[in-house]
Amino acid sequence: MCTVCGCGEGESRIEGEHSHAHEHGHEHHHAHTHDHDHSHDHAHPHDHGHDHSHDHDGHTHHYGHGPAHAHAPGMSQSKMVQIEQDILGKNNEYANANRRLFAEKGMLTLNLVSSPGSGKTTLLTRTLQDLKDEMPLAVIEGDQETSQDADRIRATGVQAIQINTGKGCHLDAHQVGHAVEHLQPAEASVLMIENVGNLVCPAAFDLGEAHKVAILSITEGEDKPIKYPDMFHAADLLLLNKIDLLPHLQFDVEKCIAYAQRVNPGIQVLQVSATTGEGMDNWYQWIRLAHQSRLLGRATGSATAVTTTREHA
Amino acid sequence: MHEMSLCEGVLQVLQTESARKGFSKVKAVWLEIGELASVEPDAMLFSFDVVTRNTLADSARLNIIHVPGSAWCMQCSKTINVKQRFDECPDCGSYQLQITGGEEMRIKELEVE
């Protein structure tokens, strides 16, 4: 049981959660009992404010004791309630909380999305290897099962945490929030979230990231952007990976880019090969610029920076 | 199973609202689902039944209100109907479209008691 938001254990697991539970074993137990009390309260809401003698059986719900206060037997207490809420409202609340935290810490958070086998982890490990001396990095790895990817990442020396989504097909903002608590990424770091390999669901779930980066390998076919338009619509950058294989494949780069721009006129495309390193400098430069822009206008401990901004405003 | 998570999201909202607005049972739910929201209504109906079993919304009716996709064509300067994100403008054939409607995924209203 999570003490921050009261969430249950569910299907998803965050690495290290176990040891956490041991350290704070007592608190967790307490949280459990509180919870029971809580649900008990909810079970008899109609005890309050009712003074009729026939309704003291607080454990069952009677027709005639509903919020509509109708007393005639057989009369329905149904009423309409206007809700007007986004289905993903809860996720978006968590995403906004993440976004606020990332902004406070001056972090750049990237959500890497692709289909399975696009070379996402290879691209990520190479990126970490090449950039780790330049800026603080951290990684959240999402997979249905196993921590193999996080192990691969940790081999580069960069801190990483694995989230196993179990039956889930995507990461949600709530899981990421918890993973960030465990990771404790450094101020002004770059956090890479490697989402579950899936071109459908992760498009809809905001994690609080600054940009979604879609990775498409040229072994997948150039029509992926229009086959899975939602993902390419949601991404700000498309990395066309494995371009070293171009001579061996029938892949029309121009056509692929045109398809991507059709679903997202603003998408930027970079051609890279994580294996040979071709084009990777452009990707690094993109990260550097995005990282820099996150630090703009940020009071980096010096009061002068703040004052200057105020004077300008 | 994207729809499954969406239904879990719906259930969370119902639970929060039941505490806030003081109802104990949900009999029907109206959802607005846009044509471009990539939600499969059939999968939604199926998942909803599964997810709400033994909850306050057990055997509640799920009604889906379809919202058509629309976009603003930058070439023609007018609103047009689209079925998919990569549709072209039926009048000028341009792909420079800004989606303006059909991405909805909202809980509109509830019948409760």
Side-chain angles (χ1 to χ4, degrees):
Chain A
M1 177 70 60
C2 155
T3 47
V4 183
C5 53
C7 65
E9 311 258 332
E11 281 289 334
S12 78
R13 294 181 303 279
I14 296 174
E15 259 188 323
E17 196 96 282
H18 231 64
S19 56
H20 184 74
H22 282 300
E23 288 164 38
H24 303 280
H26 272 295
E27 284 165 43
H28 281 275
H29 278 297
H30 281 299
H32 242 309
T33 12
H34 280 303
D35 232 52
H36 277 296
D37 286 343
H38 204 62
S39 61
H40 221 64
D41 282 345
H42 280 297
H44 6 193
H46 41 274
D47 277 355
H48 308 286
H50 269 283
D51 51 2
H52 297 285
S53 54
H54 56 270
D55 64 352
H56 279 296
D57 180 13
H59 290 282
T60 50
H61 294 287
H62 294 277
Y63 292 108
H65 298 253
H69 290 262
H71 294 274
M75 199 177 163
S76 165
Q77 281 91 62
S78 292
K79 59 170 185 175
M80 303 303 289
V81 180
Q82 299 284 326
I83 292 272
E84 298 283 348
Q85 277 195 37
D86 269 348
I87 296 178
L88 294 173
K90 199 83 194 163
N91 182 71
N92 293 344
E93 276 172 34
Y94 286 121
N96 286 337
N98 292 347
R99 191 167 282 120
R100 257 196 311 278
L101 178 84
F102 297 150
E104 275 165 22
K105 291 188 135 199
M107 289 165 58
L108 168 69
T109 305
L110 302 177
N111 182 359
L112 307 183
V113 290
S114 80
S115 44
S118 63
K120 201 163 23 139
T121 311
T122 307
L123 186 126
L124 185 55
T125 41
R126 176 148 194 161
T127 305
L128 299 172
Q129 205 75 53
D130 291 345
L131 292 183
K132 66 178 178 187
D133 296 328
E134 203 177 310
M135 53 185 87
L137 299 165
V139 174
I140 295 175
E141 269 290 335
D143 278 303
Q144 281 202 310
E145 295 296 342
T146 84
S147 62
Q148 292 190 3
D149 278 1
D151 297 340
R152 270 172 80 184
I153 301 296
R154 273 181 287 230
T156 65
V158 170
Q159 60 167 163
I161 194 161
Q162 179 84 40
I163 302 177
N164 286 133
T165 56
K167 293 195 185 72
C169 48
H170 57 265
L171 291 177
D172 63 40
H174 181 223
Q175 295 165 335
V176 168
H178 277 301
V180 169
E181 264 170 42
H182 284 274
L183 258 184
Q184 293 291 335
E187 292 269 319
S189 57
V190 176
L191 173 64
M192 308 259 195
I193 303 173
E194 186 180 338
N195 217 314
V196 178
N198 176 349
L199 279 178
V200 186
C201 311
F205 289 82
D206 183 7
L207 305 179
E209 74 273 357
H211 304 282
K212 279 194 181 71
V213 178
I215 296 151
L216 174 65
S217 68
I218 65 162
T219 51
E220 295 176 65
E222 62 246 339
D223 52 358
K224 272 269 164 88
I226 53 166
K227 279 185 172 167
Y228 300 92
D230 293 298
M231 187 56 84
F232 295 91
H233 179 77
D236 295 320
L237 176 68
L238 169 61
L239 293 179
L240 211 49
N241 193 20
K242 307 191 187 175
I243 50 155
D244 54 304
L245 298 177
L246 261 182
H248 312 287
L249 297 166
Q250 294 208 320
F251 185 92
D252 190 336
V253 173
E254 293 307 313
K255 207 166 167 185
C256 180
I257 295 174
Y259 281 145
Q261 284 169 343
R262 213 195 265 189
V263 295
N264 181 357
I267 199 165
Q268 195 177 355
V269 185
L270 294 177
Q271 300 180 40
V272 300
S273 164
T275 316
T276 64
E278 192 180 343
M280 291 295 276
D281 280 337
N282 286 335
W283 157 234
Y284 299 157
Q285 195 56 26
W286 187 92
I287 296 176
R288 284 183 198 110
L289 292 171
H291 187 218
Q292 286 298 317
S293 79
R294 302 293 289 178
L295 301 173
L296 285 180
R298 186 177 144 78
T300 46
S302 71
T304 43
V306 183
T307 346
T308 335
T309 339
R310 290 230 174 99
E311 273 166 10
H312 277 291
Chain B
M1 289 302 283
H2 183 189
E3 282 75 8
M4 197 68 105
S5 334
L6 293 181
C7 286
E8 279 165 2
V10 173
L11 183 61
Q12 271 185 333
V13 173
L14 297 183
Q15 283 163 341
T16 315
E17 290 297 311
S18 83
R20 196 179 292 162
K21 298 211 166 84
F23 56 82
S24 56
K25 187 161 170 53
V26 178
K27 294 173 75 181
V29 178
W30 279 262
L31 297 184
E32 250 182 6
I33 301 288
E35 206 170 4
L36 307 175
S38 47
V39 174
E40 207 47 68
D42 283 344
M44 200 73 191
L45 291 169
F46 171 79
S47 308
F48 187 76
D49 280 349
V50 175
V51 167
T52 56
R53 207 163 285 162
N54 299 322
T55 69
L56 79 170
D58 199 335
S59 56
R61 244 177 322 118
L62 182 64
N63 306 287
I64 294 180
I65 307 162
H66 298 271
V67 183
S70 58
W72 177 257
C73 174
M74 296 181 198
Q75 299 298 323
C76 307
S77 298
K78 65 173 185 189
T79 298
I80 54 156
N81 288 327
V82 288
K83 292 254 172 254
Q84 284 157 320
R85 280 203 196 281
F86 51 87
D87 273 358
E88 50 181 30
C89 170
D91 292 342
C92 71
S94 161
Y95 288 110
Q96 271 195 304
L97 306 178
Q98 194 88 47
I99 303 293
T100 52
E103 293 181 306
E104 294 80 357
M105 276 198 252
R106 288 171 74 75
I107 306 173
K108 192 89 179 129
E109 57 181 357
L110 309 175
E111 186 186 343
V112 301
E113 59 173 46

